[in-house]
Structure formats: structure tokens, C-alpha cells
Amino acid sequence: MMSLKRVLLVSLLAMTMHAEFALAAPSDADMKTMLVTIDDRQQNNGDYKSLVYIEQKEKDKSDLVYQAVVYRRDITDKLVILFLKPQAEAGKGYLRVDNNLFMYDPAVGKWERRTERERIGGTGSQRSDFDQSRLAEEYTPSYTAEEVLGKYTVHHLELTAKRGVDVAYPSVQLWIDTATNNVLKRQDYALSGKLMRTTFYPEWQKKYSASKKAEVYFPKEIRIYDEVEKGKNTTVVMQEVDLNSLDDSIFTKAWLESKSR
Amino acid sequence: MPAIVQLTNAVKEYPLGKLVVKAVRGVDLSIERGEFTAISGPSGSGKTTLLNLIGCVDVPTSGTVQIDGQSTSALSDRQLTDLRLHKIGFIFQSFNLINVLDVYQNVEFPLLLQGELSASDRKKRVEEMVEKVGLTTQIKQRPNELSGGQRQRVAIARALVTRPAIVLADEPTANLDSATGKAIIDLMKDLNHKEHITFIFSTHDANVTSRAGRVVRVVDGLLAQAAEHA
Amino acid sequence: MNLGDQLRMLVVLAFRSLWAHQVKSAIIGFILVGGTFLVVLFGALLSSIEGSMSRSITSSMSGHYQVYDANAEDELALFPGFSFGSVDIGEIPDFAKVEKSLLQVDNVRAVVPMGITIGTVFGANEIDHVLESLRNAVRDGRSDDVKVLGERVRVIAQSIYGDMEARAAISSDPEKVARQRDALNLVLSEKFWDDFETDPLTALDFLDANVAPLAADGRLLYLRMIGTDPQQFKKEFEGFYLVDGEMIPEGQRGLLLSKRTYEKLIKNLCARDFDDVYHDVKLGTKLSEDTLLQEKVRRISRQYQRILFQLTPEDSAEVATKLREFRKTQNVPETEPDDIAAMVQWLLLVNDENIDENYKFFYDVIAPKMNLYEVPVGQEVILRGFTQSGYIKSVKVKVWGTYEFSGLESSDLAGAANVMDLVTWRELYGRMSDDQKAELDSIRETVGVQDVSREDAEAALFGGGGELEVAAVPDAPVFDEFAGANLKRGEEEAALNSFDPATLHQGLALNAAIILKDPSGEAKALTDLKAQIEKDQLGLQVVDWQKASGIVGGFLMTMRGVLYIAIFVIFLVALVIINNLMVMATLERTPEIGTMRAIGAQRWFVMGMFILEMLVLGLVSGVIGSIAAAAVVLWLGSTGIPAPADIAVIFFGGDRLYPVISAMDVIFGIGLIVFVSVLSTLYPAFVAARVAPVVAMQGKE
């Protein structure tokens, strides 16, 4: 239902977007459309699988390095992150079912419930960085200004979390490329108004999805800077993306357990 | 044999604010061994200052004071103290006994300071002396348990116990009634005779002066005249 | 010269003068007695504290000395104080070498390897526990257990459902509450459990996702872990003794929880609070008079679900029956509601009259059916460490038992330390091996991410020539995520459940306790240890137990400082008062002094007289003050001083301090007071010695 409406909106939008956005400050409806577009591009009607590389650098500490596989089934809001490398971390994983995030550690064979702010594998990345984009669903936008970011002209939006929605950060600043409507930069704020982290998306890739019958967008690289602990940053690289359908059993605790047993 | 006390042009000045008071203004005085000398004069005449110079509790500003042939001017406090301890016995107007000590201890005190006699000699000497002043029965009493006359007797015993060359007495009867005063002078005179001790005492009591072998009158810091009696 | 006789005279003069000036002597004497009393009393208390602390701390964790990395960034603190911040005390990479070297020092009996790290235990809520057991039962095909556990899930769901009314009333999102209620309704339906039989895993995931979050949240326990050689630890630290369970067997992994942690942190919250209330009442607090305690009782009663959740339906029924019986004996009207929830609430809502019986009933009837402890003795617990490498490491380790340090049983600080084998500890601590580092490098190389600093990020990422939107290769082959990855846990980890005991002493430790054969030879041992470390270039520093104990040693140092400052102030005041009084006395006694000087007393005699007077007064006062202080210390020594706060338990080496007084304390006190007396008379004596003999001639009585 929801996605059908979105598709309509997006196709309606696609015709006018490029011409009009650059002229005046967008209306509330325009901004809403921007977010819907962003969410919709990244969403796949079918499944999503990607091979990701996560690296955290921190001052005076050794780097954290992981390779993991991410499975997504956007229509049922399910997500699995399974660590593959290094050997000591292999088999650990996360499972998101509805609004619950569980973590599994094969060394002890036990599940734990984690919060939205869980640092994935102890890095600066969070569940939302790997999951489907739900900006329109979770936040209400307001317009700040048109700005310049590097060589791009961007819309600077401020997003406020909707009531009753469980998100890691209640307030978000978003910079969207006026030409392509891709997110370039994002800043997350805590309830206190403190800047927690800044994220950059320097490159977006698109891939045709047979199930969606359209292109699915994904960030090739995500650079996350911790604004609380300076000098700490995390880079996520989508090494491979595959949009073919996945087995239902993947999105269960039992499957994740079986991979390391 | 030289005089036991020899003052030659002795001068004593005291600063008093910006002024300088000349208490003794050039006294020549010679006192022989065994004399019983009274120094008389009105208050403020310089009588006490003269006595201080003779008693070595003070030294002259100019001129000399010689005790038993020794000049006091060049002596240190320590040497002066030693001189007092060995050569001079003191009897004060207000008795000046040490109140926390009994009769025996008061009399023994200078002997202890001297530290020359053995304990038994000391005891003998003290008891002998106390007997001489007639206080043997009060020997264990404290000064405040004694009458004025008795106290002065203790003072006399204390002054004499070291067998000094000179005994100085500053108005010894001033705080006593006349009968007691007379008895004290009698005792001093008696000791002067028997022990051949030189007594020098200040007084302005004519009755006392009359008992003296020699009277030295001081007026305005100078000797007025020297009268000799038989 | 009869110096002896003169001295005797001075002494007589001193005593008589003191007696003659009674008021002055009394005032000064009072000050001096008071001063001595305080100095001796507090000196004795402090040395008693030092003594008992020394005993309790050296015989618990510290040993006589501790060694650790000479270049450590932070100071070693065995007792952490109030912060759980991470402390970097460096490492001892090769403990065997250190042990071998230090054992060559004469007086060293043992070197115990240690390491401190923080481990977290995820205290799951009750339903998480039940669901996990249910999941295991399903996996292992234990259908009887599945039934029982399923029943418990229903009980919990029922209980949560009961709370939904209240939750709906305060919720800002009625839609959400409605969804939650639907989920609960589903779980309470027969259909759900019919479906459970055909597809248990889906049903379990549903329970995990939709029901478990509705129960009260679990909590994260932070536990301080001391990794060591447990056998050696037990042998060398005389204060250590086992309370529950058994000792970690030699060559096996294991954890001993401190009894304090076990009772105060790990125990069921309801039971723990009930214990606290019971103990407070036993110690004489009246519930009827203490509103704080009443509030606590009400809170316990409100949390009755923490108990109900743990009971199976059968147990519940049994408890309900017994409770009904018990209530009758307590004269509760029959008209009161008799469902188990109401009755348990009643049981917990104690007053001064029924607390004994209710507490007993709770422990006799209900407690045996509960998991009283989140991490029970005899079971395995999962500890998670924030490792040195940054990776999160979880280890499963058996809790063999609980232990205490004698004398420190009621100290939270000492009780924060939990003992585990060093092999497991090393995993929690998580220093990376060279192989692991090489593996990381190789993973990193395959991707080759450029490092971009935060400052340059915008220019570097958005200023370049790259395209923002790129089409992926359209027909890239489907990738195999598992190629080159090995997710299976190796057998080597399973085999590690036991190990060669020698490995405890080989490899990494952070610090080590040095136990001496003869503790009285401490000073020499320290020099020897330092020399040995120098000689073998071990790169270690040695600290004594006081310094090693961290905040506790610091407190002692502070206390001693405060005492010394107090002494200094007391004496400064005494000095001024005595000095003034004595100067006044000197003026008063000028005629007497003049007389003595006139009849031949030297200046030193006068000075001596005054000083001797105060010497006598000081000595007499000192003795009186010391006797008074000794009497107080002896009295305290028989009754004991209760420790007012947790930190004091460590100082006192127990709940009460039984102070003792030593000759040294007394000598120090008297010596000090005499010194001050004499010091305060120097100036007055000097003034007295300057009195001229001539004043005697002017004397009027």
C-alpha cells in the first residue's frame, strides 16, 4: 500500500524536480517529497544483500576492522548483519525484528537485546547505517537554507523525529544535493542539542532491481565521524550489492546461530 | 690593707625621657672592714643609688667603685653576679624572701648558688645561722607564716650565711615597728661585733642612724659631711 | 659544684611555684592535658587503623608490595574508588620471567600474577531468561520442558496484560498500546500455542520481538575482574575464604564472585531489598518511625512481579495455598483478595510486628522456588569485556562459588573484586596476538580506505572530480559472502575449558603481588626488590600496599595529613596561650627574680627555673593526658568503634575498629607535649633572665 503511493508520488515528482528545486525554498510538501524520494530509491521491493567493510580509526588505539554481510528485507523491516572477518569475530551478528535489535555471540551462544544506539561491533556505525532508509517515516523536515558543499549546491534540511518513533537521534541535519537529490551529509544531534556524529556519503551507486523494476540506490561509502570523541571515525564500504531474493530462513535467530555451529 | 669599699668620684646618671638625671654626682667614699656604716638622707637624695653601686647591682657611669680592691666597672653581668654572690650579703626593705621556700631553704639558697659546701657543711652552716637569728623553732615555716621582724631575721641569716665581706641593708627597719626595728639593728650590731662583718645600711630613721658607727649623709647625690662617732 | 643540689632546688622551686600560681598552672595544665589527650588518642586510633588496614589489605589483595610497569600511564589502584574509568597501568608481558627473577630476592615468599579489568554481565529480564530456556528446549526437543516453560511465558504475559490498563492510561501513544495488547492477546490465545507446536521458531521470534520488550528492562552489571592464579591466590592471601560453592579447580576456567557483589548486586532485587529492610529492623530501626524504610517496603511490594515471574504455575499454586494458610495465622480477614499477586504483595508489605514471620515465610517457601541470583553459583555466566584491541569479547565462564576477605566482608570497595583464572581473564582483556594483527592488515589491504580527517572531509570528499551518482556494473556476478570466511568455531576453544595450570604463570599479567616471608623486613625487601628489578631490567615499579590500594591508601594519607595539621594548629594555639600566660607570670614575679639575681643567681639559673617549671608541668600534664587517652582507647578497644561508612570498613579492617594503644603512641604524645611546653617558655624565660637585679632594691611588697 504504502510503497504504491510512494511510487506514484515519485514518478509525479521526477518530471518537475530538477527544474523547480533550485529556484525557491521548497515547501513542506516538497521537502516531504525529497525524503520520500531518498527513502524510496534505497528501498528494494525484494531483498537486499551486501558485503560491507567496516573500519574504525581512533586516536592512540588500534583500528577495528570487519568484513560483514548485510541482509535486508525491506517490506517486513528485517535486517541481519553477520560478521565474516576477522576470524575472532566471525559468526557474531545482529538481527532486527520489528523494533528489536538482537545481538548474537557464538562464543557464548547467547542472544542479547540491544538498543537503537548500539555501536555495531563497537564501531561508530549503527544499525540505521546498514538498514533501509526511513527518513520520511521517522522525521518531519523543515528548511534551513540552500548551501554549497564542496562543488555541490545543497538543500540544508532540519529533521525532527516524529512522536512515538524509536530512533537513535531525535534531531538530524541533512544536506541534499539539489541536482540529484542524494544525501551528501548528515549530522545527528542528541536530545540535549549536542552534536553526536557527522556522516558523509561521497558516492551513490545505483543498481537495477528486477523485483522493484527500478534502480536501487546505495551509498558506496559512508564516512562517520564521532563528534563527541574527536579523532574517532568509522568508514563503511559497500563492497558488493546483490538484489536477488533471499531465503526466508535467513531472518531468524536460528539461522544466525546455525552459521557458526 | 685597702678599704673594703672604695668609691672614687663615682657618678651615676639615669636617662629619664630626654633628660639625664644625675643620681650620684661624684662621690668619694671609703669604708673600712668591720665598719657599721649608715647612709642617710632624704628620699631622692641618691641614697639607694649609692647603695646599688656599692652592692654591685649597678655600675657607675663614671668614676670607680672598688669592692675588696676589685673595680666593678669592667665586669660582665656574670662576673658581677658572682661578685655579689661571694662578697655581698643583701638585706632588703621588703625582706624579699622567696615565698615558696621555707626558712631553712631561704637561708640555704645562696649557699646552693655558690655550690661550694658539701650538703652536711651546708646544713651545719644554715642551722647555725638560723640559730644566731633566733628562728630555730620556725625553721620549717614559710615566710608568710612569719611576722615582719622574723622575716627580716631570715633575710639577715640569708645575707650572712655565705660569710660575705659586706652586708648591705636597704632601709632594713622601714617596714617594721620601732621595737622590732630596734631588735633588728641590735642583731646586726651584735653580728658586726662578733663576726666582724662590715655592715652598710641606708636609713632615714634618726634612731637607727644614732646606732651607727659612722654616718654618711647624702644630699642631692653628693656626700654632705662625714661625722664620726666614738 | 653541687649541680645536683642546685637542680634539686630548681625542681623544688618549680613545684612550689606551680603550686603557688595554681590558676595559671591549671589553665596551662588543662591545655596541655587536652593536647596530649588528643594527640595520643588520635595517634593511637590512626596507628590502630593503619595496623588493621595493613593486616586486612595485605592479606586480601595487595600483598606487601605490588609491582607493575614502570612506564605505566596511571597509578595502580586495587580498590577502584568511586569511578569505573579505564586505568592504564601497563602490562607485564612475560610474567614467568618476573616471577623467576623476584623469587631470588631473599625475603620474597611468592609472586602472585594479577590483572584487573571490567567485565559486564547482561542481566536479562525474567522473560528473556524464560524465552532462552524455551528456545533451548525447542532446539533440543525436550517437549516436557517446552510445555512447562510455555506455561511460564503465559503467566508472564498474563501478568504484563494486567499492567496494560495502567500503561494505557499514561501512554501518549494509545495506538502503540493497542498493538501491544493485541500481541499479548495473541500469546494468551490457544491458537498461538497450537501454532507454536508446528512452527516454534517463528513463534519464539514473535515472543522475543513483541512480548519480551514489554517486561521491565534487564540491566547491565559491571563487574570488576581480578585475573590471577586462583589456587595461589587462595594460598597466599590469608584473608581469602570461600563462602558458597567450591573453589575453582586447578587448571580449570572459573569465576569466584565476591559475596558482597553476589548479595548486593546479583541477587533478585526484591529479595535484596527485603534483606536490607530486615537487617535494618534487626539493627533496631523501627519501621513505624522510619518513613524512608516504609517507602522501601512499599517499593518492594510494588515489585512483587519480580517474584511471580519466576514461579511456574505449579509452584504458584503451591505458594498460593501455603500463603492462604499463613495469612490465617496472621489474622488477615478472609474477605481480603486471595489471588497470589495480592497475597505476595501483602507478604512483602511488612510492618514491625510481622516482619520476622513474613521474612521467614519468604525464605522458607518462596525463595527456594526462585532464581534468587541472576548469576547463580554453579552455573555459567557470560562476561563481556571491552578489550584492549577494541573488539568486544564475550566469554562463558562458570561461577564456582563466592568468597570473602576476612574483615572486609561488609566493604563494597573490597567486595567489588571478583576473582577469575588468568587464562579467561586474558581473553576478556583481549590483547591481540601478532597473527591477529596481521589478519587485520590483510583485510584492510583488500579495501584500502583512504584516511580522511574530519577537518578535510568536506573538501576531500566533495571537492574532487568523482561523480556523485554512479551506475553499478549491471550484470555483476552474484557474490558469495562466505567465500574465504570461516564462521565455524574451532575445536580449540572448546578444548580450552581446562588448561595446564602452568600457563597461569606464563604470559601476560598486569601487576603482581609480592608476599614476604617476614613482613617485618619490609624496608630491606623493598631495596632488594628494586635492586633485583634493576639488575634483571624488568622495567617494573614497586609500590607498597598503601599506595597500591588506591583511593584507600590516599584516604589514609589524607587522614594522617589532617591529624598532623590538627596537631600543629592545637600546638600553635597552645604555644601562644602558654607564652602569653608565662610572660604575664614573669612580670608578676619580677621582684622575686630580681631578688634572686641580686643575691647571686646567674641568668641561666633564672631561665632554668622557668623552663624546668614548664617541663614539670608538661610532663605531669602529658602523663595525665596519656592516661586519659589510654583509658578511652582501652574502652573503645573493648566495645569497638562501628565503621560509619563503607570506606571505613577497609580502614577498620572490619565492621568495628578495636583500637589498641602502644608505648610509642604515649611516648610520642608526651614527648611532643613536653617539647611544646619548653618551646612556649623560651621567650618568657628569656624575658625573666633579663630582669635586672636592681629591681630588688626598689621592691615594695
Side-chain angles (χ1 to χ4, degrees):
Chain A
M1 275 283 288
M2 189 68 187
S3 58
L4 200 75
K5 223 157 88 190
R6 275 193 207 160
V7 173
L8 278 172
L9 254 170
V10 172
S11 34
L12 208 83
L13 215 88
M15 299 181 277
T16 53
M17 192 175 69
H18 290 274
E20 281 180 354
F21 273 10
L23 293 176
S27 67
D28 284 356
D30 292 341
M31 287 188 290
K32 170 102 180 148
T33 314
M34 272 188 247
L35 297 186
V36 169
T37 308
I38 290 164
D39 290 346
D40 201 73
R41 278 174 173 180
Q42 293 181 58
Q43 192 248 357
N44 188 17
N45 286 11
D47 295 333
Y48 171 103
K49 173 172 100 170
S50 70
L51 189 65
V52 299
Y53 169 80
I54 311 170
E55 175 184 301
Q56 177 185 263
K57 289 195 174 298
E58 190 176 353
K59 241 169 82 188
D60 305 325
K61 284 211 171 159
S62 53
D63 298 353
L64 282 183
V65 174
Y66 292 100
Q67 194 173 49
V69 60
V70 176
Y71 304 102
R72 254 166 54 188
R73 176 164 288 177
D74 296 348
I75 39 169
T76 53
D77 285 355
K78 280 183 173 157
L79 172 79
V80 167
I81 303 172
L82 172 62
F83 293 104
L84 305 170
K85 290 175 182 171
Q87 181 58 43
E89 302 298 308
K92 286 187 185 175
Y94 291 89
L95 168 66
R96 181 184 199 246
V97 181
D98 297 335
N99 286 316
N100 296 271
L101 185 64
F102 298 100
M103 193 196 76
Y104 180 70
D105 186 341
V108 293
K110 214 172 155 93
W111 288 92
E112 279 180 19
R113 187 187 308 281
R114 314 302 300 172
T115 67
E116 269 301 304
R117 288 220 195 162
E118 167 81 359
R119 295 167 159 277
I120 299 299
T123 69
S125 63
Q126 291 168 338
R127 191 271 308 160
S128 56
D129 296 319
F130 302 95
D131 210 343
Q132 176 194 358
S133 173
R134 296 185 183 85
L135 291 174
E137 191 183 313
E138 292 168 345
Y139 292 96
T140 311
S142 65
Y143 200 73
T144 305
E146 188 175 285
E147 292 172 9
V148 174
L149 191 64
K151 61 179 182 180
Y152 303 103
T153 310
V154 290
H155 294 298
H156 179 182
L157 265 54
E158 183 174 332
L159 310 186
T160 314
K162 291 181 180 170
R163 260 175 47 169
V165 178
D166 198 14
V167 287
Y169 301 103
S171 174
V172 172
Q173 306 275 331
L174 210 60
W175 286 263
I176 302 166
D177 180 30
T178 52
T180 61
N181 207 42
N182 283 313
V183 176
L184 298 189
K185 176 182 172 185
R186 169 181 170 139
Q187 288 193 320
D188 298 309
Y189 289 82
L191 199 59
S192 61
K194 187 178 173 61
L195 176 58
M196 303 301 284
R197 54 175 218 164
T198 302
T199 311
F200 295 102
Y201 304 88
E203 186 185 332
W204 288 86
Q205 286 202 352
K206 46 194 177 183
K207 188 162 189 172
Y208 183 76
S209 159
S211 52
K212 189 184 180 185
K213 306 212 176 2
E215 283 173 324
V216 172
Y217 283 57
F218 56 89
K220 178 68 184 159
E221 188 178 302
I222 308 174
R223 298 256 183 189
I224 304 159
Y225 294 89
D226 194 318
E227 298 285 6
V228 181
E229 288 174 65
K230 298 284 180 193
K232 190 170 176 177
N233 64 74
T234 303
T235 306
V236 177
V237 177
M238 305 289 167
Q239 292 177 281
E240 306 274 359
V241 171
D242 179 23
L243 300 173
N244 291 309
S245 61
L246 300 167
D247 196 296
D248 289 352
S249 69
I250 286 179
F251 301 99
T252 59
K253 285 186 171 181
W255 182 82
L256 209 59
E257 288 174 13
S258 72
K259 294 315 284 182
S260 52
R261 191 170 286 127
Chain B
M1 216 167 145
I4 189 78
V5 175
Q6 179 68 56
L7 275 70
T8 313
N9 197 21
V11 174
K12 183 64 192 176
E13 296 171 346
Y14 294 107
L16 189 79
K18 283 179 182 171
L19 298 172
V20 173
V21 177
K22 283 198 173 181
V24 173
R25 302 196 288 172
V27 169
D28 293 302
L29 176 64
S30 174
I31 294 169
E32 299 301 322
R33 239 174 253 275
E35 276 195 275
F36 195 72
T37 308
I39 298 178
S40 72
S43 294
S45 60
K47 185 173 61 184
T48 302
T49 307
L50 191 60
L51 219 58
N52 286 350
L53 292 178
I54 297 167
C56 301
V57 295
D58 217 341
V59 289
T61 316
S62 66
T64 57
V65 174
Q66 283 182 310
I67 305 296
D68 207 4
Q70 187 171 17
S71 171
T72 62
S73 306
L75 298 182
S76 68
D77 177 80
R78 168 177 277 274
Q79 287 164 321
L80 276 176
T81 306
D82 213 39
L83 185 65
R84 288 198 298 274
L85 179 59
H86 287 93
K87 295 275 159 96
I88 304 166
F90 285 90
I91 298 166
F92 304 97
Q93 183 181 345
S94 319
F95 325 132
N96 290 20
L97 298 176
I98 299 169
N99 286 322
V100 297
L101 300 180
D102 61 22
V103 170
Y104 180 93
Q105 287 164 326
N106 263 290
V107 176
E108 187 192 23
F109 190 74
L111 288 178
L112 279 171
L113 291 179
Q114 283 185 339
E116 283 154 7
L117 296 180
S118 69
S120 56
D121 288 351
R122 214 163 52 224
K123 187 164 185 282
K124 219 169 101 191
R125 179 86 72 86
V126 172
E127 282 171 353
E128 197 181 293
M129 207 57 230
V130 172
E131 197 189 336
K132 276 182 191 158
V133 298
L135 286 172
T136 306
T137 50
Q138 285 88 0
I139 198 159
K140 283 291 157 202
Q141 290 182 3
R142 298 273 187 97
N144 54 8
E145 296 162 331
L146 302 176
S147 68
Q150 286 171 325
R151 288 189 213 183
Q152 200 60 303
R153 282 164 191 269
V154 179
I156 291 168
R158 180 178 69 184
L160 289 164
V161 77
T162 55
R163 297 183 178 155
I166 314 159
V167 172
L168 279 182
D170 181 22
E171 307 251 8
T173 61
N175 285 344
L176 301 172
D177 62 67
S178 55
T180 318
K182 184 177 177 300
I184 289 296
I185 296 297
D186 286 345
L187 176 64
M188 283 164 57
K189 187 110 193 164
D190 188 42
L191 289 166
N192 173 249
H193 271 295
K194 286 184 182 154
E195 315 275 334
H196 300 287
I197 291 168
T198 314
F199 273 87
I200 303 170
F201 56 95
S202 67
T203 183
H204 51 259
D205 184 343
N207 289 330
V208 178
T209 318
S210 65
R211 305 283 306 278
R214 175 184 174 193
V215 176
V216 177
R217 269 194 72 80
V218 185
V219 177
D220 283 347
L222 290 168
L223 297 192
Q225 65 189 74
E228 210 134 345
H229 295 258
Chain C
M1 288 278 277
N2 283 313
L3 250 171
D5 292 323
Q6 290 186 359
L7 207 64
R8 206 190 62 230
M9 168 60 74
L10 279 172
V11 171
V12 169
L13 272 172
F15 273 104
R16 299 253 172 99
S17 297
L18 287 171
W19 186 248
H21 302 89
Q22 282 171 7
V23 175
K24 180 205 73 178
S25 304
I27 293 172
I28 296 176
F30 183 76
I31 294 171
L32 295 180
V33 167
T36 321
F37 177 78
L38 291 177
V39 170
V40 174
L41 179 65
F42 286 108
L45 288 181
L46 199 63
S47 37
S48 300
I49 285 172
E50 269 183 38
S52 41
M53 237 183 102
S54 159
R55 267 193 308 284
S56 61
I57 290 188
T58 53
S59 68
S60 58
M61 252 157 39
S62 77
H64 299 100
Y65 289 105
Q66 284 270 334
V67 291
Y68 65 106
D69 189 355
N71 301 315
E73 257 177 50
D74 299 309
E75 286 182 358
L76 171 68
L78 292 174
F79 298 104
F82 304 113
S83 73
F84 261 121
S86 70
V87 177
D88 184 2
I89 59 159
E91 290 174 353
I92 301 177
D94 184 2
F95 176 74
K97 181 180 152 197
V98 169
E99 183 178 30
K100 185 161 174 273
S101 168
L102 296 185
L103 279 175
Q104 289 167 22
V105 174
D106 253 355
N107 197 4
V108 171
R109 188 178 78 201
V111 185
V112 185
M114 286 186 184
I116 302 168
T117 192
I118 304 293
T120 60
V121 174
F122 186 75
N125 60 32
E126 293 305 331
I127 189 163
D128 281 332
H129 274 308
V130 176
L131 287 179
E132 194 198 335
S133 310
L134 183 55
R135 191 175 286 275
N136 291 338
V138 166
R139 191 189 60 211
D140 303 343
R142 288 178 273 122
S143 53
D144 286 354
D145 290 348
V146 170
K147 216 170 200 70
V148 170
L149 290 164
E151 277 302 310
R152 278 185 70 183
V153 171
R154 279 211 234 193
V155 168
I156 294 172
Q158 186 70 56
S159 165
I160 297 172
Y161 195 85
D163 281 354
M164 291 308 289
E165 290 300 320
R167 217 179 278 199
I170 56 165
S171 172
S172 60
D173 192 351
E175 217 178 293
K176 194 169 163 188
V177 176
R179 273 202 312 275
Q180 293 170 349
R181 201 178 298 186
D182 289 347
L184 286 170
N185 269 324
L186 178 62
V187 171
L188 290 169
S189 70
E190 287 304 320
K191 183 183 175 303
F192 181 86
W193 296 100
D194 290 345
D195 289 350
F196 189 96
E197 280 179 29
T198 52
D199 185 3
L201 291 181
T202 307
L204 273 168
D205 284 353
F206 180 85
L207 288 168
D208 269 341
N210 296 292
V211 178
L214 303 181
D217 275 333
R219 61 208 175 104
L220 205 56
L221 302 174
Y222 286 81
L223 300 180
R224 203 173 153 82
M225 296 293 160
I226 312 285
T228 186
D229 172 350
Q231 306 296 328
Q232 193 191 19
F233 193 87
K234 178 171 187 278
K235 178 167 160 267
E236 296 299 342
F237 294 115
E238 287 151 21
F240 174 97
Y241 67 94
L242 212 63
V243 184
D244 306 307
E246 54 187 309
M247 186 63 198
I248 304 171
E250 195 168 2
Q252 289 210 32
R253 287 166 178 264
L255 170 65
L256 291 176
L257 290 167
S258 106
K259 181 69 176 169
R260 186 82 181 163
T261 299
Y262 197 58
E263 292 296 327
K264 293 284 167 194
L265 202 64
I266 291 173
K267 197 172 187 178
N268 176 286
L269 186 73
C270 249
R272 187 174 9 136
D273 283 350
F274 204 3
D275 290 345
D276 287 348
V277 170
Y278 183 73
H279 285 135
D280 279 355
V281 170
K282 284 288 124 185
L283 287 176
T285 313
K286 283 262 174 288
L287 259 169
S288 52
E289 289 162 10
D290 190 329
T291 50
L292 271 177
L293 211 56
Q294 285 166 22
E295 181 47 47
K296 194 164 186 176
V297 168
R298 280 196 290 274
R299 198 176 67 226
I300 298 168
S301 180
R302 278 199 300 274
Q303 298 192 333
Y304 70 99
Q305 287 193 340
R306 285 178 190 276
I307 293 168
L308 286 193
F309 280 1
Q310 300 209 349
L311 303 179
T312 63
E314 288 81 24
D315 287 343
S316 249
E318 189 189 329
V319 168
T321 314
K322 286 191 177 160
L323 256 174
R324 241 168 251 129
E325 292 297 314
F326 176 65
R327 277 211 320 187
K328 270 184 210 150
T329 66
Q330 298 290 311
N331 302 320
V332 175
E334 299 256 353
T335 52
E336 290 290 310
D338 69 347
D339 60 290
I340 182 150
M343 287 193 295
V344 169
Q345 285 184 70
W346 165 82
L347 182 80
L348 297 174
L349 199 61
V350 290
N351 55 41
D352 288 319
E353 282 71 46
N354 65 12
I355 185 162
D356 282 340
E357 281 114 334
N358 288 21
Y359 187 76
K360 187 170 182 305
F361 182 87
F362 176 76
Y363 273 98
D364 286 352
V365 178
I366 301 181
K369 303 192 187 306
M370 294 169 58
N371 289 324
L372 259 189
Y373 300 92
E374 256 173 74
V375 183
V377 165
Q379 291 195 16
E380 284 179 328
V381 60
I382 289 159
L383 283 171
R384 179 190 279 198
F386 301 100
T387 63
Q388 291 304 100
S389 65
Y391 289 98
I392 294 163
K393 181 77 192 179
S394 298
V395 294
K396 198 190 250 178
V397 60
K398 180 174 171 182
V399 181
W400 288 92
T402 66
Y403 80 94
E404 276 175 353
F405 290 124
S406 88
L408 300 180
E409 286 87 348
S410 55
S411 165
D412 285 338
L413 276 177
N418 303 288
V419 173
M420 73 191 311
D421 69 279
L422 205 48
V423 169
T424 310
W425 180 87
R426 282 175 193 141
E427 280 177 23
L428 265 188
Y429 179 76
R431 199 177 61 151
M432 214 175 274
S433 70
D434 290 343
D435 285 353
Q436 286 171 317
K437 280 182 191 152
E439 187 195 0
L440 290 190
D441 287 340
S442 79
I443 300 170
R444 201 180 349 232
E445 273 165 28
T446 59
V447 181
V449 171
Q450 292 285 315
D451 193 16
V452 177
S453 77
R454 171 72 185 91
E455 291 71 33
D456 309 333
E458 277 158 38
L461 300 175
F462 299 123
E467 279 297 307
L468 181 60
E469 220 175 88
V470 179
V473 184
D475 337 305
V478 174
F479 68 91
D480 174 11
E481 59 269 35
F482 297 111
N486 175 20
L487 274 61
K488 305 294 178 202
R489 295 274 126 181
E491 298 77 33
E492 80 272 24
E493 288 196 27
L496 264 178
N497 246 333
S498 58
F499 50 80
D500 176 2
T503 55
L504 291 172
H505 289 252
Q506 289 155 1
L508 181 76
L510 298 191
N511 54 303
I514 310 281
I515 317 280
L516 300 181
K517 290 172 192 156
D518 172 19
S520 64
E522 256 183 334
K524 184 176 180 303
L526 182 61
T527 347
D528 291 354
L529 279 169
K530 282 182 175 162
Q532 184 69 17
I533 286 167
E534 186 72 26
K535 187 182 135 236
D536 286 356
Q537 297 184 331
L538 299 177
L540 298 176
Q541 54 181 312
V542 193
V543 290
D544 63 17
W545 62 268
Q546 265 187 47
K547 204 148 185 312
S549 53
I551 184 169
V552 175
F555 262 81
L556 194 66
M557 225 79 92
T558 313
M559 261 173 68
R560 206 179 296 144
V562 167
L563 178 70
Y564 289 154
I565 290 169
I567 288 177
F568 182 75
V569 169
I570 288 173
F571 284 120
L572 207 66
V573 171
L575 210 76
V576 170
I577 295 175
I578 295 173
N579 181 67
N580 288 346
L581 281 171
M582 288 301 287
V583 169
M584 277 163 61
T586 307
L587 296 176
E588 198 181 299
R589 284 164 69 179
T590 300
E592 179 191 330
I593 298 160
T595 306
M596 288 184 184
R597 291 282 284 126
I599 62 180
Q602 294 286 3
R603 278 184 177 149
W604 67 259
F605 184 88
V606 175
M607 276 187 91
M609 186 172 75
F610 272 78
I611 290 172
L612 197 77
E613 228 172 85
M614 279 309 295
L615 202 71
V616 166
L617 190 56
L619 261 170
V620 171
S621 308
V623 170
I624 294 173
S626 298
I627 289 172
V632 171
V633 171
L634 285 179
W635 173 68
L636 289 174
S638 64
T639 58
I641 310 166
D646 171 49
I647 185 111
V649 175
I650 291 186
F651 287 147
F652 289 7
D655 291 343
R656 276 170 179 272
L657 176 72
Y658 297 94
V660 289
I661 193 159
S662 70
M664 267 317 290
D665 297 324
V666 173
I667 291 167
F668 175 75
I670 295 178
L672 196 71
I673 214 75
V674 166
F675 170 75
V676 169
S677 313
V678 170
L679 198 69
S680 59
T681 326
L682 284 182
Y683 177 72
F686 177 76
V687 169
R690 303 307 295 187
V691 170
V694 70
V695 301
M697 307 297 274
Q698 301 144 356
K700 308 278 181 287
E701 209 162 357

